[in-house]
Amino acid sequence: MIAKISSGQDTAGLVRYLFDTKKAKDHTDPHLVASWDGFAPDPGRTDDLDATKKLLVADLNLHVKQARRLGRAPEKHTWHCSIRAATTDRHLSDEEWADIARRVVAATGIAPEGDPDGCRWVAVRHAPDHIHIAATKVRADLSTARHWNDYLTADRELAAIEKEYGLFQVVRGDRTAAKRPTRAEQEKARRAGHDKPARERLRTTVRTTVAAATSTAEFIHLLNHTDGVLVEVVYSPSGDVRGCKFASQDTTTADKEPVWFSGSELAPDLSFPRIQERLESIEPQPTNQPGRRRPNPWHQATAAADRIPHHLDQTDDEASQAHLAAFGEALDALPLLAPQTLRPQLREAASAFERATRSRIRAEHHHARALRGAVRAMVREPAPRDGATLAMLLDAAILVVIAAARWHQLHRHDQQITAAHQTLLHLQAAYDHAAAAPLAALAQRRPPQQAVDRHIRHLRQAVPGHAEQIIEDPAFGVLTAALTEAEAAGHAPERLLQQAAGQRALDDADSPARVLTWRIQRLSARPAPSARARAARARSRAQSPQAPVHATATLTVLQQPQARRH
């Protein structure tokens, strides 16, 4: 059920509209289903329609006139709430609609339950699927009704009604969604030949710039050099930047000022303080050092994304929210880096997931420093030529979105769940396109059966719970090819499998063999351990033959820095 609430100053006009059967086509049988005392005159059930409407208006306005004499009546004294059921819902009876009306006026403060001084109201039904509640805001004690946040309280009550009545449960928000463009903005964009209004285009541009910038100064600099965007910086008396306003150049005319939007008007997380907070939570990337190989930022971003489902399973909601926000920035940056053919789907994925990056839970952004730093490093380096690197990241991203939908579902974030599901469709399409060529190339390099049998033994030791499913996976041949190439480069296949399996989320994977393939390729891109390191590892195992090897424990040990002796 959806409620629409408005205020006005003409009780007679409102009543006239509710009982009109000539201009309004859906007003087939207007009649009262409930009222403040159950005895209000019903114009829909009388022969003298006009006279009864006047009586009803006079009854509704009684306390308004009394308050007006004392100078206490509000200028907009009428309250109008329409409540519409979903098209798939059954037709409710008059008695059921009457119960719904009483619950809504009580919840909103128009006529609280058990309050003899509540406002006067009537509920009119003139079509099978909806009712209108008309009320005057002056109570019997001549005070004005306290109906603040009436839309939210009505919506909350309707959500409970939907469950109790077995009706369609509407997807509801938590007031963290970006403001939608007005009809005037949409019409203006259409006349100018744009597919989206200026507000939405600016939101995308600002979000992408935040994903690329490493500081607020660079953020402002990048926007100042972006075609079609105007930026106005607001300074405090001390000279520090206090905020920013943005405008699209196409909104400027010869005789008019541009239409400016503050960051918070574009989206709740694009206010300047929120942007500052995010840009201060970036992990600095290592610089090139002689004799040392610089980490691949794409692999770092993929590794950070691989860990997000694990973070979302923890009890720290503020950290989880931070990881989702940082992942949203990664999606915002990808269209800048991907091949031209993939950009439309990636833009749609980023646009859809934008809604899933916010909730009423405040993010503690320092938890996601690694992913943010890797994304900035990706933007500053040439895009990889091979499709495998992008496919690895997209494969991890799909699992993140699945985990994000589950996390939002646990917190009853309805709009965010829908956004995650929409994102998944676009990411899957982009992944299928990006992965096709590298997977086909790997499949052509399938190793001999002897090597395959050896990898099967390694697989059953490393991931016994998923081994048979992986062996039967159509992508198993691709996995064996990746393991064979890693082995030829000096890596131990069984150890790579333990590490790859320990990186979480195989249960969510549509193809666990493909997930392991990308992880094996990323892990094998690191330098292989030296002969001395392999010998030390073998001696360590020989000294503790009874110690079981667990994939997650192995990964944890590898990620810990070595203790220094003093």
Side-chain angles (χ1 to χ4, degrees):
M1 287 186 162
I2 296 176
K4 292 184 179 181
I5 299 175
S6 61
S7 296
Q9 53 188 9
D10 185 5
T11 309
L14 178 56
V15 170
R16 189 163 51 249
Y17 162 74
L18 295 179
F19 287 92
D20 174 59
T21 57
K22 295 179 181 179
K23 294 182 181 179
K25 296 180 180 179
D26 62 343
H27 294 196
T28 54
D29 180 25
H31 60 279
L32 296 187
V33 294
S35 66
W36 73 94
D37 63 356
F39 298 103
D42 185 356
R45 294 292 184 264
T46 181
D47 295 332
D48 195 342
L49 177 64
D50 292 336
T52 311
K53 282 195 291 188
K54 290 180 181 179
L55 287 173
L56 179 58
V57 171
D59 284 353
L60 287 171
N61 273 344
L62 176 62
H63 300 315
V64 177
K65 289 184 176 180
Q66 293 172 343
R68 189 170 290 152
R69 294 192 193 102
L70 301 174
R72 293 163 57 181
E75 181 181 355
K76 291 188 175 182
H77 63 267
T78 65
W79 186 85
H80 177 203
C81 174
S82 64
I83 304 172
R84 185 177 296 273
T87 55
T88 55
D89 286 339
R90 61 182 175 84
H91 286 177
L92 302 175
S93 66
D94 282 358
E95 291 74 17
E96 289 173 316
W97 277 119
D99 175 59
I100 292 169
R102 293 188 190 97
R103 291 176 62 170
V104 169
V105 294
T108 55
I110 294 297
E113 187 176 1
D115 184 353
D117 293 330
C119 300
R120 295 194 164 194
W121 60 274
V122 293
V124 180
R125 181 182 189 180
H126 50 215
D129 62 347
H130 69 280
I131 60 169
H132 292 259
I133 303 174
T136 47
K137 298 181 185 179
V138 180
R139 294 162 44 84
D141 57 11
L142 303 189
S143 64
T144 302
R146 300 167 63 90
H147 63 97
W148 296 299
N149 288 327
D150 49 9
Y151 175 78
L152 291 178
T153 52
D155 195 56
R156 192 178 301 121
E157 188 65 28
L158 290 177
I161 289 170
E162 289 167 354
K163 292 180 181 179
E164 293 176 24
Y165 278 71
L167 305 176
F168 175 76
Q169 296 184 27
V170 174
V171 175
R172 289 178 162 83
D174 55 5
R175 304 188 77 183
T176 62
K179 185 177 180 181
R180 294 181 180 180
T182 64
R183 177 167 294 186
E185 291 174 341
Q186 293 173 335
E187 289 297 323
K188 187 174 183 178
R190 184 183 58 79
R191 290 193 300 269
H194 296 291
D195 58 342
K196 292 182 178 180
R199 183 194 300 270
E200 292 189 347
R201 286 182 280 124
L202 283 171
R203 183 188 306 138
T204 300
T205 301
V206 173
R207 285 184 63 86
T208 304
T209 307
V210 172
T214 57
S215 66
T216 52
E218 186 181 22
F219 166 72
I220 295 171
H221 173 78
L222 291 174
L223 279 177
N224 274 323
H225 291 80
T226 300
D227 292 338
V229 177
L230 302 174
V231 183
E232 183 177 301
V233 182
V234 181
Y235 294 93
S236 64
S238 64
D240 296 329
V241 177
R242 192 178 68 188
C244 285
K245 293 191 295 184
F246 314 100
S248 178
Q249 284 183 339
D250 58 52
T251 63
T252 306
T253 60
D255 57 342
K256 289 185 178 180
E257 286 290 317
V259 179
W260 293 98
F261 297 92
S262 66
S264 59
E265 289 177 313
L266 299 178
D269 58 344
L270 293 183
S271 66
F272 192 72
R274 293 287 184 89
I275 290 174
Q276 278 184 310
E277 184 182 354
R278 289 156 65 185
L279 293 180
E280 289 170 358
S281 301
I282 299 174
E283 185 173 283
Q285 293 297 293
T287 56
N288 286 327
Q289 298 179 6
R292 237 181 130 176
R293 188 176 180 182
R294 185 179 178 184
N296 184 322
W298 285 79
H299 290 175
Q300 288 181 303
T302 304
D306 264 334
R307 293 191 292 269
I308 292 178
H310 170 71
H311 294 311
L312 296 182
D313 279 346
Q314 308 307 305
T315 57
D316 191 340
D317 287 342
E318 290 77 11
S320 296
Q321 185 65 65
H323 286 292
L324 292 179
F327 177 72
E329 292 177 19
L331 292 186
D332 290 332
L334 277 182
L336 301 173
L337 310 172
Q340 192 71 36
T341 53
L342 297 180
R343 291 179 185 177
Q345 289 288 3
L346 292 176
R347 287 194 192 100
E348 292 296 330
S351 178
F353 197 75
E354 182 259 349
R355 182 65 191 95
T357 60
R358 291 187 304 274
S359 71
R360 302 295 290 182
I361 299 170
R362 181 66 181 253
E364 293 183 354
H365 290 294
H366 64 275
H367 289 284
R369 290 166 58 89
L371 178 56
R372 281 198 168 89
V375 169
R376 271 68 180 181
M378 286 163 52
V379 173
R380 281 155 180 76
E381 292 194 1
R385 295 182 179 180
D386 65 311
T389 304
L390 176 60
M392 286 183 207
L393 182 53
L394 292 178
D395 182 70
I398 287 171
L399 298 181
V400 173
V401 175
I402 293 172
R406 184 168 58 242
W407 186 82
H408 283 304
Q409 190 169 18
L410 289 174
H411 292 78
R412 300 181 181 178
H413 299 159
D414 292 342
Q415 289 186 352
Q416 289 88 332
I417 297 169
T418 301
H421 290 163
Q422 292 171 345
T423 305
L424 198 58
L425 297 176
H426 299 296
L427 276 184
Q428 188 66 57
Y431 168 80
D432 290 342
H433 192 285
L439 286 177
L442 266 178
Q444 292 177 356
R445 302 197 293 270
R446 180 166 178 146
Q449 188 60 43
Q450 183 180 4
V452 172
D453 293 339
R454 187 170 66 254
H455 294 322
I456 289 176
R457 290 195 298 273
H458 295 151
L459 190 65
R460 285 175 173 152
Q461 291 174 355
V463 280
H466 292 278
E468 300 309 318
Q469 179 188 2
I470 294 170
I471 294 169
E472 295 174 1
D473 192 322
F476 177 62
V478 174
L479 174 60
T480 59
L483 285 169
T484 301
E485 292 183 357
E487 188 176 27
H491 293 276
E494 66 275 19
R495 188 168 183 80
L496 286 178
L497 280 170
Q498 289 170 357
Q499 290 180 254
Q503 291 177 357
R504 185 81 174 86
L506 282 180
D507 291 334
D508 293 333
D510 179 52
S511 171
R514 281 201 312 245
V515 172
L516 288 176
T517 297
W518 299 128
R519 292 177 182 174
I520 292 295
Q521 287 211 317
R522 176 166 52 80
L523 292 169
S524 62
R526 304 171 182 173
S530 64
R532 180 179 296 180
R534 291 197 298 270
R537 188 183 304 156
R539 287 195 301 271
S540 175
R541 288 183 181 178
Q543 291 171 1
S544 54
Q546 302 302 320
V549 179
H550 297 290
T552 52
T554 303
L555 182 64
T556 303
V557 170
L558 288 173
Q559 290 175 339
Q560 291 177 346
Q562 295 295 320
R564 297 177 61 184
R565 293 188 178 184
H566 299 282

